[in-house]
Amino acid sequence: TPQSGGSKSFSFDTGKYTPPMHPTSAVSSRKIIQMEKETSELKERNDLLNRELEACHEREAEVQSTLEETEARHRASRMKLESEGMARENEIRDHLSQKVLGLE
């Protein structure tokens, strides 16, 4: 603006604000440049953390899938053992019943 001793401009090529160039804006200009740099660094860090988070979610999904498969196999194995145990128990009961009937 004319009263501040300079003009403000925005570059559509870089998408950055160019502060006015007068003595009182020198500190502001440095501060803006520093803040733009920090913003850029934070964006890069955020992007990195987002990629790491996505990789963690993928690993979590893989582990969850493996866990579910393992639990299913374990349940099937346990049910098979229980079924075999009950069948054996029935066989023994039938055998003993036949022996008792033979003694009568």
Side-chain angles (χ1 to χ4, degrees):
T1 62
Q3 294 170 341
S4 64
S7 63
K8 299 176 186 176
S9 66
F10 180 81
S11 170
F12 289 100
D13 294 329
T14 63
K16 294 184 179 181
Y17 167 77
T18 304
M21 298 308 292
H22 56 80
T24 59
S25 70
V27 172
S28 297
S29 176
R30 276 184 254 134
K31 186 70 173 176
I32 289 173
I33 291 169
Q34 178 186 3
M35 290 176 73
E36 286 176 345
K37 181 181 176 191
E38 289 173 3
T39 300
S40 176
E41 290 169 354
L42 288 172
K43 183 184 180 309
E44 289 175 15
R45 177 77 175 142
N46 189 46
D47 291 343
L48 173 66
L49 292 173
N50 280 334
R51 287 190 300 273
E52 289 176 359
L53 180 61
E54 183 62 33
C56 286
H57 285 310
E58 290 174 9
R59 284 192 299 273
E60 179 184 22
E62 292 169 3
V63 169
Q64 182 66 31
S65 177
T66 302
L67 174 64
E68 289 170 359
E69 291 170 5
T70 302
E71 287 176 338
R73 283 194 305 271
H74 178 71
R75 275 191 307 273
S77 176
R78 190 178 65 232
M79 290 174 70
K80 180 180 177 189
L81 286 173
E82 289 174 1
S83 175
E84 290 171 351
M86 290 186 332
R88 180 69 180 138
E89 186 179 305
N90 288 336
E91 287 174 16
I92 292 171
R93 185 178 295 119
D94 290 344
H95 177 72
L96 292 176
S97 294
Q98 291 298 323
K99 277 187 168 184
V100 168
L101 288 175
L103 293 177
E104 292 179 352

Tab-separated table of all heavy atoms in Angstrom, residues 78-94:
chain	number	residue	atom	x	y	z
A	78	ARG	N	-9.147	-78.024	18.201
A	78	ARG	CA	-9.751	-78.296	19.502
A	78	ARG	C	-11.068	-79.046	19.345
A	78	ARG	O	-11.344	-80.017	20.059
A	78	ARG	CB	-9.973	-76.988	20.262
A	78	ARG	CG	-10.369	-77.219	21.721
A	78	ARG	CD	-10.540	-75.916	22.488
A	78	ARG	NE	-11.668	-75.178	21.940
A	78	ARG	CZ	-11.630	-73.911	21.543
A	78	ARG	NH1	-10.525	-73.213	21.619
A	78	ARG	NH2	-12.698	-73.322	21.043
A	79	MET	N	-11.884	-78.641	18.381
A	79	MET	CA	-13.157	-79.322	18.145
A	79	MET	C	-12.931	-80.754	17.683
A	79	MET	O	-13.663	-81.672	18.087
A	79	MET	CB	-13.993	-78.546	17.122
A	79	MET	CG	-14.517	-77.223	17.658
A	79	MET	SD	-15.343	-76.223	16.410
A	79	MET	CE	-16.810	-77.188	16.139
A	80	LYS	N	-11.908	-80.970	16.867
A	80	LYS	CA	-11.595	-82.323	16.406
A	80	LYS	C	-11.181	-83.195	17.590
A	80	LYS	O	-11.640	-84.341	17.720
A	80	LYS	CB	-10.465	-82.284	15.373
A	80	LYS	CG	-10.082	-83.633	14.840
A	80	LYS	CD	-8.956	-83.541	13.832
A	80	LYS	CE	-8.556	-84.937	13.390
A	80	LYS	NZ	-7.349	-84.917	12.577
A	81	LEU	N	-10.333	-82.649	18.479
A	81	LEU	CA	-9.918	-83.410	19.665
A	81	LEU	C	-11.109	-83.722	20.565
A	81	LEU	O	-11.233	-84.840	21.077
A	81	LEU	CB	-8.860	-82.636	20.450
A	81	LEU	CG	-7.465	-82.586	19.850
A	81	LEU	CD1	-6.574	-81.646	20.660
A	81	LEU	CD2	-6.863	-83.980	19.788
A	82	GLU	N	-11.977	-82.738	20.761
A	82	GLU	CA	-13.163	-82.966	21.587
A	82	GLU	C	-14.059	-84.024	20.964
A	82	GLU	O	-14.584	-84.901	21.657
A	82	GLU	CB	-13.934	-81.656	21.779
A	82	GLU	CG	-13.235	-80.663	22.682
A	82	GLU	CD	-13.936	-79.314	22.744
A	82	GLU	OE1	-15.000	-79.144	22.095
A	82	GLU	OE2	-13.432	-78.420	23.438
A	83	SER	N	-14.239	-83.960	19.660
A	83	SER	CA	-15.071	-84.930	18.958
A	83	SER	C	-14.469	-86.331	19.062
A	83	SER	O	-15.187	-87.310	19.323
A	83	SER	CB	-15.196	-84.522	17.487
A	83	SER	OG	-15.900	-85.503	16.769
A	84	GLU	N	-13.150	-86.435	18.858
A	84	GLU	CA	-12.484	-87.734	18.987
A	84	GLU	C	-12.593	-88.265	20.414
A	84	GLU	O	-12.799	-89.463	20.630
A	84	GLU	CB	-11.018	-87.626	18.558
A	84	GLU	CG	-10.833	-87.410	17.074
A	84	GLU	CD	-9.396	-87.102	16.699
A	84	GLU	OE1	-8.541	-86.886	17.604
A	84	GLU	OE2	-9.112	-87.056	15.488
A	85	GLY	N	-12.456	-87.371	21.391
A	85	GLY	CA	-12.575	-87.774	22.794
A	85	GLY	C	-13.970	-88.283	23.110
A	85	GLY	O	-14.133	-89.300	23.802
A	86	MET	N	-14.998	-87.599	22.618
A	86	MET	CA	-16.371	-88.046	22.862
A	86	MET	C	-16.640	-89.370	22.159
A	86	MET	O	-17.312	-90.260	22.718
A	86	MET	CB	-17.372	-86.972	22.409
A	86	MET	CG	-17.350	-85.754	23.305
A	86	MET	SD	-18.588	-84.441	23.029
A	86	MET	CE	-19.000	-84.494	21.340
A	87	ALA	N	-16.101	-89.532	20.952
A	87	ALA	CA	-16.288	-90.799	20.228
A	87	ALA	C	-15.613	-91.943	20.991
A	87	ALA	O	-16.189	-93.033	21.143
A	87	ALA	CB	-15.725	-90.690	18.817
A	88	ARG	N	-14.426	-91.690	21.480
A	88	ARG	CA	-13.710	-92.722	22.255
A	88	ARG	C	-14.473	-93.042	23.540
A	88	ARG	O	-14.601	-94.213	23.918
A	88	ARG	CB	-12.292	-92.229	22.579
A	88	ARG	CG	-11.476	-93.193	23.368
A	88	ARG	CD	-11.119	-94.408	22.528
A	88	ARG	NE	-10.317	-95.313	23.343
A	88	ARG	CZ	-10.468	-96.614	23.366
A	88	ARG	NH1	-11.353	-97.182	22.588
A	88	ARG	NH2	-9.712	-97.352	24.132
A	89	GLU	N	-14.998	-92.022	24.185
A	89	GLU	CA	-15.786	-92.222	25.405
A	89	GLU	C	-17.018	-93.089	25.116
A	89	GLU	O	-17.342	-94.011	25.872
A	89	GLU	CB	-16.214	-90.857	25.947
A	89	GLU	CG	-16.925	-90.891	27.281
A	89	GLU	CD	-17.284	-89.492	27.748
A	89	GLU	OE1	-16.372	-88.649	27.837
A	89	GLU	OE2	-18.481	-89.264	28.021
A	90	ASN	N	-17.677	-92.827	23.982
A	90	ASN	CA	-18.847	-93.616	23.596
A	90	ASN	C	-18.454	-95.061	23.292
A	90	ASN	O	-19.187	-95.996	23.652
A	90	ASN	CB	-19.561	-92.988	22.404
A	90	ASN	CG	-20.288	-91.713	22.770
A	90	ASN	OD1	-20.646	-91.502	23.934
A	90	ASN	ND2	-20.503	-90.850	21.785
A	91	GLU	N	-17.322	-95.236	22.632
A	91	GLU	CA	-16.845	-96.589	22.343
A	91	GLU	C	-16.604	-97.363	23.632
A	91	GLU	O	-17.005	-98.536	23.760
A	91	GLU	CB	-15.553	-96.546	21.517
A	91	GLU	CG	-15.723	-96.141	20.082
A	91	GLU	CD	-14.377	-95.992	19.367
A	91	GLU	OE1	-13.342	-96.488	19.878
A	91	GLU	OE2	-14.368	-95.367	18.301
A	92	ILE	N	-15.935	-96.738	24.576
A	92	ILE	CA	-15.638	-97.392	25.858
A	92	ILE	C	-16.938	-97.711	26.596
A	92	ILE	O	-17.106	-98.812	27.135
A	92	ILE	CB	-14.703	-96.510	26.710
A	92	ILE	CG1	-13.318	-96.435	26.060
A	92	ILE	CG2	-14.608	-97.033	28.139
A	92	ILE	CD1	-12.390	-95.421	26.701
A	93	ARG	N	-17.872	-96.767	26.601
A	93	ARG	CA	-19.153	-96.985	27.268
A	93	ARG	C	-19.898	-98.164	26.629
A	93	ARG	O	-20.424	-99.035	27.327
A	93	ARG	CB	-20.004	-95.724	27.214
A	93	ARG	CG	-21.306	-95.860	28.006
A	93	ARG	CD	-22.138	-94.581	27.999
A	93	ARG	NE	-21.440	-93.497	28.694
A	93	ARG	CZ	-21.081	-92.350	28.134
A	93	ARG	NH1	-21.339	-92.122	26.859
A	93	ARG	NH2	-20.454	-91.423	28.822
A	94	ASP	N	-19.912	-98.194	25.279
A	94	ASP	CA	-20.576	-99.291	24.575
A	94	ASP	C	-19.892	-100.624	24.876
A	94	ASP	O	-20.558	-101.644	25.118
A	94	ASP	CB	-20.600	-99.047	23.070
A	94	ASP	CG	-21.526	-97.916	22.663
A	94	ASP	OD1	-22.375	-97.522	23.498
A	94	ASP	OD2	-21.395	-97.430	21.523
